[in-house]
C-alpha cells in the first residue's frame, strides 16, 4: 500500500524544492490529505498547546461529557448510533473577529497561547495556499484573494477530545464527511489514533506523528480547481482506550466571498464543457452544508448549481 504523504517543509528551501512541490501536488490530486513536518511552528509551542488543551478537558469538559453520555444512555447501546458523535468540543474564532477572550472557562495563559498558535497557523495556511497556486500555475496570492471577500477570510479552531468509548463498533468519534471550507490544518494527538480517510474505496489511517500538522482540502478548493483537487471523506473512529486530542483549524473563505472555478485553470482544460462546478457565495454554501454535512458532497454542488448566484465579477486582483 502507498505510504501516507509526509512533506518536509524545509526541503522547499533547498535544491529538493521541486520534489517537495511534486509531493504536495500528488497528495492534493490523489489523497486530499498530507502531513507536514518542519513547518516553522516551534515544538515548544505545540507542546504547550497540547498541555493546556488536555488540562482544560480534564478540568472543565470531562465531567460534562460523562453526564451527557449517562443522560443519553450511550454506554448501554446495542445498535449503531448514526445521529451523534463521541466527541467533546468547543470552537475558537480567530478571523475576521476573535472570540478567544469571551469563551468561558479558559485560563488566561491558555487564551494567550491559543492566540499565538492561531497566528502561526494562519501564516502556514497562507504559505500552503501559495504553494498550491504554484503547483496549479495560478498567480501567487490568487487563492488568498478569492478567499478574502470584503472582510478577509474566516478562520477558527475546533478543539476536540475523543474520550475512551465502550462501544466503538456502534458509535463513531466523528461520522464520515468532507469539510466544507478551504484548507484545514490539524494538530492531533501523537499517541491515540482514530482519524481515517477514504481512498480508493478503503478507509486508511492518518498516522499520528509527533509535532506534525495534518493538512486536508475542503470543498471550496475542489470547486476553485474545477475538480483537479478533491475534498476527501474522512471520519474519526472512537477508541476503547485513551483520550484523543484534536485541534482542527479551518482557513475558509470570508462569508461573502464568491467561489467559482479559476478561469485560468479552465483555459488550460482541453475538453469542451469543462466547467463542472457552480458559482456561489460561500455563506450560501455553508447554510446548505449545515443540514447535509454527513451526506455526499455531490448533491450539495448540484443544489448550488440549481440556485447559482448571478454575480458579475471582473478579474480578481492579486496585488
Amino acid at each position: 500500500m502507498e505510504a501516507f504523504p509526509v512533506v518536509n517543509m524545509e526541503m522547499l528551501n533547498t535544491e529538493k524544492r521541486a520534489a517537495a512541490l511534486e509531493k504536495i501536488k500528488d497528495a492534493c490530486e490523489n489523497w486530499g490529505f498530507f502531513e507536514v513536518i518542519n513547518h516553522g511552528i516551534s515544538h515548544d509551542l505545540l507542546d504547550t498547546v497540547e498541555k493546556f488543551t488536555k488540562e482544560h478537558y480534564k478540568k472543565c469538559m470531562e465531567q460534562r461529557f460523562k453526564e451527557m453520555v449517562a443522560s443519553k444512555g450511550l454506554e448501554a447501546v446495542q445498535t449503531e448510533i448514526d445521529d451523534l458523535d463521541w466527541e467533546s468540543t468547543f470552537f475558537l474564532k480567530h478571523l475576521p473577529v476573535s472570540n478567544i477572550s469571551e469563551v468561558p472557562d479558559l485560563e488566561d495563559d491558555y487564551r494567550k497561547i491559543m492566540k499565538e498558535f492561531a497566528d502561526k497557523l494562519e501564516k502556514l495556511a497562507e504559505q500552503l495556499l501559495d504553494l498550491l497556486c504554484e503547483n496549479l500555475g495560478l498567480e501567487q496570492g490568487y487563492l488568498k484573494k478569492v478567499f478574502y471577500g470584503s472582510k478577509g477570510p474566516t478562520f477558527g479552531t475546533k478543539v476536540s477530545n475523543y474520550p475512551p468509548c465502550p462501544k466503538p463498533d456502534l458509535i463513531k468519534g466523528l461520522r464520515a464527511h468532507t469539510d466544507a471550507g478551504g484548507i484545514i490544518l490539524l494538530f492531533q494527538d501523537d499517541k491515540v489514533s482514530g482519524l481515517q480517510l477514504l481512498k480508493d474505496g478503503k478507509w486508511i489511517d492518518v498516522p499520528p506523528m509527533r509535532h506534525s500538522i495534518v493538512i486536508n482540502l475542503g470543498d471550496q478548493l475542489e470547486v476553485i480547481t474545477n475538480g483537479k483537487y478533491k475534498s476527501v471523506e474522512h471520519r474519526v473512529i472512537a477508541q476503547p482506550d485513551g483520550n484523543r486530542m484534536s485541534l482542527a483549524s479551518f482557513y475558509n473563505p470570508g462569508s461573502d466571498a464568491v467561489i467559482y472555478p479559476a478561469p485560468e485553470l479552465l483555459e488550460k482544460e482541453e475538453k469542451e464543457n469543462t466547467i463542472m462546478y457552480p458559482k456561489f457565495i460561500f455563506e450560501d454554501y455553508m447554510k446548505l452544508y449545515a443540514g447535509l454535512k454527513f451526506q455526499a458532497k455531490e448533491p450539495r454542488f448540484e443544489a448550488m448549481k440549481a440556485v447559482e448566484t448571478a454575480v458579475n465579477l471582473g478579474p480578481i486582483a492579486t496585488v
Side-chain angles (χ1 to χ4, degrees):
M1 194 181 74
E2 297 172 86
F4 186 85
V6 178
V7 178
N8 182 349
M9 298 283 284
E10 282 185 347
M11 286 174 58
L12 293 163
N13 301 316
T14 71
E15 71 283 357
K16 295 179 179 176
R17 179 181 176 83
L21 283 169
E22 182 59 34
K23 194 168 223 183
I24 293 171
K25 178 174 178 285
D26 180 74
C28 290
E29 291 179 356
N30 297 307
W31 290 78
F33 272 76
F34 57 98
E35 207 153 356
V36 294
I37 57 173
N38 296 320
H39 38 61
I41 302 176
S42 79
H43 291 181
D44 283 348
L45 176 58
L46 294 175
D47 289 343
T48 306
V49 167
E50 180 173 354
K51 172 177 172 285
F52 275 121
T53 299
K54 290 183 172 178
E55 285 176 356
H56 177 263
Y57 173 74
K58 285 298 235 186
K59 182 179 175 184
C60 301
M61 309 279 290
E62 186 174 41
Q63 187 56 36
R64 286 182 218 160
F65 183 79
K66 287 178 177 176
E67 289 169 3
M68 182 278 290
V69 167
S71 71
K72 294 181 182 292
L74 294 179
E75 290 188 332
V77 296
Q78 300 297 319
T79 56
E80 188 166 357
I81 301 292
D82 60 6
D83 61 350
L84 60 79
D85 304 302
W86 189 268
E87 63 174 359
S88 170
T89 68
F90 65 95
F91 199 84
L92 299 174
K93 296 177 184 175
H94 312 306
L95 296 173
V97 179
S98 171
N99 74 341
I100 288 182
S101 62
E102 297 152 26
V103 175
D105 301 328
L106 300 185
E107 293 184 6
D108 286 344
D109 285 347
Y110 190 21
R111 293 182 206 275
K112 183 179 173 186
I113 208 75
M114 287 305 289
K115 188 171 187 320
E116 183 182 349
F117 181 53
D119 289 344
K120 299 285 188 188
L121 284 172
E122 181 187 346
K123 290 182 175 65
L124 179 57
E126 292 175 353
Q127 179 188 0
L128 288 163
L129 287 177
D130 272 346
L131 292 171
L132 266 54
C133 284
E134 188 172 344
N135 274 337
L136 290 162
L138 297 170
E139 279 186 82
Q140 289 293 291
Y142 179 86
L143 290 171
K144 183 180 175 184
K145 199 55 143 179
V146 171
F147 279 25
Y148 203 82
S150 66
K151 305 186 196 95
T154 308
F155 185 44
T157 300
K158 179 187 176 188
V159 181
S160 305
N161 281 271
Y162 297 91
C165 179
K167 305 273 187 171
D169 53 329
L170 298 178
I171 308 174
K172 295 285 184 296
L174 180 59
R175 288 161 285 166
H177 64 287
T178 65
D179 289 327
I183 191 165
I184 298 88
L185 303 92
L186 170 69
F187 175 40
Q188 66 168 343
D189 206 290
D190 66 316
K191 296 180 179 66
V192 183
S193 62
L195 178 61
Q196 296 182 329
L197 65 90
L198 190 63
K199 186 177 189 319
D200 302 327
K202 295 178 182 173
W203 288 104
I204 295 173
D205 291 328
V206 176
M209 186 183 298
R210 189 155 173 75
H211 298 137
S212 73
I213 303 290
V214 177
I215 310 300
N216 74 284
L217 309 182
D219 294 349
Q220 307 312 303
L221 286 175
E222 179 167 337
V223 172
I224 294 167
T225 65
N226 201 39
K228 189 174 180 67
Y229 294 171
K230 294 281 198 297
S231 62
V232 168
E233 209 171 327
H234 53 284
R235 67 185 185 183
V236 176
I237 298 298
Q239 304 290 348
D241 303 300
N243 182 62
R244 176 178 175 267
M245 176 200 75
S246 160
L247 292 94
S249 297
F250 299 82
Y251 188 100
N252 291 346
S255 59
D256 64 354
V258 181
I259 305 300
Y260 57 100
E264 206 174 333
L265 292 183
L266 296 179
E267 288 167 14
K268 294 174 184 174
E269 297 273 355
E270 295 176 0
K271 305 185 295 291
E272 291 183 12
N273 304 318
T274 54
I275 302 179
M276 298 160 53
Y277 292 84
K279 181 180 192 178
F280 53 82
I281 294 171
F282 179 61
E283 186 174 39
D284 292 340
Y285 187 85
M286 290 305 292
K287 287 174 184 171
L288 180 71
Y289 179 85
L292 303 172
K293 174 177 178 177
F294 298 109
Q295 297 179 30
K297 64 187 172 184
E298 290 79 10
R300 296 198 292 266
F301 293 145
E302 289 303 315
M304 295 313 293
K305 275 185 190 173
V307 293
E308 188 157 334
T309 313
V311 179
N312 292 316
L313 283 186
I316 290 191
T318 54
V319 290

